[in-house]
């Protein structure tokens, strides 16, 4: 649950990793940006790309990423069946962490020059641990080898990665297909995710399996010491 604190949304999971209070700002407001420039912490705000950015620059916010939302309804989905692919729900956490660690270099936390990459890695690893504990992570196997994972919640693909030794082989469309099929078979009519526009491999993957894109958001950060 997100906790309200000083009119900001406190994110304790990020604070524990980065060692400073971390907050999300829900609206572009002069007063909130002013307070963020004075109160110690790390701040995130997400705005429409067409929103004027003068206020953000005035109060020391800097650009980190642009996110888009892939979305696919069942009638648009393009499946790539492959007999060598299998999904499992009971994969050991340590095996999944070996894929997760260091896999999210396109993420906004890695691209923030005020944050250590090792802490950004820990942030995603901790998220995977929480999702695994809740039983929301599926291991993706190719020829009986663990080759990636996808975490799922309510029809949203929350966190996913392919193992480093399997990247660049064109396997992802085969790995993603059975997970999407499973969700559609469970009665989910629309699958969504979130991806950085700089992660062209994943953008192209989603496009190939029938997803379109909506709701772009520019992500700005500020570190106040």
């Amino acid at each position: 649950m997100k906790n309200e604190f000083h009119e900001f949304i406190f994110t304790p999971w990020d604070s524990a990793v980065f060692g400073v209070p971390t907050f999300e700002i829900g609206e572009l407001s002069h007063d909130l940006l002013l307070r963020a420039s004075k109160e110690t912490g790390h701040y995130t705000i997400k705005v429409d790309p067409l929103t004027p950015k003068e206020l953000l620059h005035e109060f020391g916010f800097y650009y980190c990423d642009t996110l888009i939302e892939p979305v696919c309804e069942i009638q648009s989905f393009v499946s790539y069946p492959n007999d060598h692919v299998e999904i499992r729900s009971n994969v050991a956490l340590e095996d999944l962490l070996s894929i997760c660690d260091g896999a999210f270099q396109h993420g906004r936390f890695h691209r923030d020059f005020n944050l250590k990459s090792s802490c950004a890695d820990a942030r995603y690893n901790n998220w995977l641990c929480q999702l695994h504990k809740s039983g929301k992570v599926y291991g993706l196997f190719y020829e009986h080898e663990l080759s990636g994972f996808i975490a799922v919640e309510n029809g949203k693909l929350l966190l996913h990665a392919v193992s480093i030794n399997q990247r660049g082989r064109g396997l992802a469309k085969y790995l993603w297909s059975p997970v999407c099929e499973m969700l559609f078979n469970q009665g989910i009519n629309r699958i969504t995710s979130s991806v950085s526009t700089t992660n062209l491999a994943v953008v192209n993957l989603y496009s190939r399996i029938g997803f379109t894109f909506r709701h772009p958001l520019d992500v700005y950060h500020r570190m106040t010491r």
Side-chain angles (χ1 to χ4, degrees):
M1 177 182 294
K2 293 183 178 181
N3 303 306
E4 299 296 333
F5 181 79
H6 289 259
E7 299 180 7
F8 303 120
I9 303 169
F10 180 48
T11 55
W13 48 89
D14 289 336
S15 182
V17 169
F18 294 116
V20 296
T22 58
F23 306 92
E24 293 183 3
I25 303 175
E27 62 177 313
L28 185 60
S29 155
H30 178 280
D31 291 343
L32 290 179
L33 298 187
L34 176 61
R35 293 185 65 177
S37 71
K38 295 181 177 180
E39 297 181 9
T40 299
H42 184 273
Y43 298 86
T44 296
I45 186 168
K46 300 174 183 177
V47 297
D48 186 283
L50 298 182
T51 298
K53 307 301 194 301
E54 288 89 348
L55 264 183
L56 291 168
H57 290 285
E58 178 182 345
F59 288 107
F61 281 77
Y62 46 91
Y63 173 82
C64 277
D65 198 4
T66 297
L67 299 175
I68 51 176
E69 182 184 35
V71 57
C72 184
E73 298 188 1
I74 188 168
Q75 63 270 22
S76 301
F77 177 60
V78 180
S79 179
Y80 287 84
N82 188 307
D83 292 338
H84 297 290
V85 172
E86 177 188 1
I87 60 173
R88 303 178 193 170
S89 59
N90 57 345
V91 181
L93 176 60
E94 56 267 28
D95 294 336
L96 298 170
L97 285 170
S98 68
I99 296 174
C100 183
D101 192 44
F104 297 97
Q105 298 299 314
H106 290 90
R108 61 189 177 93
F109 295 102
H110 280 95
R111 295 167 63 187
D112 187 332
F113 52 82
N114 278 307
L115 301 175
K116 293 181 179 179
S117 291
S118 59
C119 292
D121 288 334
R123 190 257 186 189
Y124 290 105
N125 291 345
N126 287 350
W127 190 13
L128 177 62
C129 291
Q130 294 166 6
L131 292 166
H132 184 271
K133 185 177 181 180
S134 301
K136 298 174 181 177
V137 184
Y138 293 90
L140 312 176
F141 288 78
Y142 182 74
E143 295 183 335
H144 309 294
E145 177 183 348
L146 180 62
S147 300
F149 66 83
I150 297 180
V152 177
E153 184 177 53
N154 298 327
K156 183 168 185 177
L157 309 183
L158 293 175
L159 188 69
H160 45 68
V162 174
S163 61
I164 191 168
N165 61 313
Q166 298 286 28
R167 295 174 199 166
R169 299 180 58 193
L171 294 179
K173 59 184 179 291
Y174 304 116
L175 299 174
W176 260 241
S177 287
V179 176
C180 294
E181 289 175 351
M182 176 189 69
L183 294 175
F184 287 133
N185 289 335
Q186 290 174 351
I188 298 294
N189 292 318
R190 177 182 296 149
I191 299 174
T192 63
S193 189
S194 180
V195 60
S196 168
T197 55
T198 65
N199 194 345
L200 295 181
V202 176
V203 171
N204 288 333
L205 162 65
Y206 277 118
S207 179
R208 179 166 293 185
I209 62 176
F211 282 69
T212 56
F213 304 93
R214 65 183 184 181
H215 302 160
L217 289 171
D218 285 343
V219 183
Y220 280 73
H221 287 179
R222 177 187 166 89
M223 178 71 84
T224 306
R225 303 183 190 279

